[in-house]
Amino acid sequence: DQQVKQNSPSLSVQEGRISILNCDYTNSMFDYFLWYKKYPAEGPTFLISISSIKDKNEDGRFTVFLNKSAKHLSLHIVPSQPGDSAVYFCAASDASGGSYIPTFGRGTSLIVHP
Amino acid sequence: NAGVTQTPKFRILKIGQSMTLQCAQDMNHNYMYWYRQDPGMGLKLIYYSVGAGITDKGEVPNGYNVSRSTTEDFPLRLELAAPSQTSVYFCASSYGVGPQHFGDGTRLSIL
């Protein structure tokens, strides 16, 4: 039973436009969320995080939005660049409960066309 | 800083053979993890450790063993390799709830 779901296996976007990657979770105890980016033949790298006390966190072109009532978060990339083409993983953990072990989604493959 | 270093990068094993995947980190992180990633799937946790001398099972521990004798090293042992263990293995480390730092993975094929 997937507790963290990324329902879109892939997303194709034109360079310069917005990319929106979505993630849903079922465990109401999750209170810390992270996004990772993964290029082929490399390990995932941390991109951005958000705790449940916030509903938005920005870092340059990357913004994560959290809707706790809907158990939904999204990653916005504006503007998208060809170098953003990668697999993006959403992860969630029950940090305040002392569990630092994140649960990962299956990933969304983003392709940004020049 | 090297971060998280995994060796080897690639390996082919025969069914029934054993091997150890090495993982070392130089960030003094207390938490270390082993994941496997199968095609089209997310990262599945095999084992994790919250500090030297302490290890615990993750979601898919069967067929694997780990040890954590030092803060830096967290080797993963495969005993009696099976085709179902063909996968890409990632080691990661973190400081508590902070973001995980991953190695570049070991691609393992069992034939």
Side-chain angles (χ1 to χ4, degrees):
Chain A
D1 181 31
Q2 284 184 269
Q3 296 189 69
V4 177
K5 299 179 184 180
Q6 294 178 257
N7 291 320
S8 298
S10 63
L11 176 66
S12 183
V13 169
Q14 205 69 30
E15 181 179 6
R17 308 293 289 266
I18 184 171
S19 295
I20 300 176
L21 294 91
N22 294 305
C23 179
D24 297 295
Y25 61 96
T26 57
N27 189 339
S28 58
M29 301 302 293
F30 287 152
D31 58 4
Y32 185 61
F33 306 89
L34 310 97
W35 285 94
Y36 290 85
K37 175 179 178 179
K38 184 184 179 304
Y39 292 118
E42 294 183 9
T45 55
F46 169 71
L47 197 55
I48 192 169
S49 64
I50 189 167
S51 81
S52 59
I53 62 172
K54 293 185 174 182
D55 54 19
K56 177 182 173 182
N57 190 26
E58 273 183 276
D59 184 1
R61 296 186 296 113
F62 302 91
T63 303
V64 57
F65 295 93
L66 175 63
N67 182 333
K68 292 185 287 293
S69 59
K71 295 191 179 70
H72 176 83
L73 62 155
S74 60
L75 175 68
H76 293 213
I77 306 173
V78 184
S80 301
Q81 299 173 354
D84 296 329
S85 298
V87 176
Y88 290 79
F89 290 100
C90 170
S93 66
D94 174 14
S96 61
S99 172
Y100 299 156
I101 311 302
T103 299
F104 283 82
R106 294 186 177 185
T108 296
S109 177
L110 173 66
I111 299 171
V112 180
H113 297 283
Chain B
N1 280 343
V4 178
T5 303
Q6 289 184 239
T7 55
K9 293 191 183 304
F10 306 94
R11 184 73 185 267
I12 299 174
L13 277 183
K14 293 183 179 179
I15 295 171
Q17 287 185 320
S18 302
M19 78 163 292
T20 299
L21 281 66
Q22 301 292 345
C23 175
Q25 54 97 3
D26 62 0
M27 296 170 283
N28 202 32
H29 285 166
N30 51 348
Y31 277 62
M32 293 189 76
Y33 317 77
W34 273 105
Y35 292 92
R36 60 178 285 173
Q37 185 188 18
D38 300 322
M41 303 296 284
L43 296 163
K44 293 190 176 180
L45 184 66
I46 305 171
Y47 271 95
Y48 67 98
S49 168
V50 301
I54 306 168
T55 62
D56 211 342
K57 295 178 180 178
E59 184 185 356
V60 289
N62 291 345
Y64 307 95
N65 276 302
V66 293
S67 59
R68 182 99 181 268
S69 56
T70 66
T71 299
E72 295 78 19
D73 299 297
F74 191 41
L76 177 71
R77 178 85 178 158
L78 276 74
E79 304 281 3
L80 297 175
S84 61
Q85 293 177 306
T86 293
S87 190
V88 181
Y89 291 83
F90 291 102
C91 178
S93 70
S94 69
Y95 189 74
V97 75
Q100 292 174 314
H101 296 251
F102 286 83
D104 283 338
T106 295
R107 291 184 175 275
L108 180 62
S109 293
I110 297 162
L111 306 174

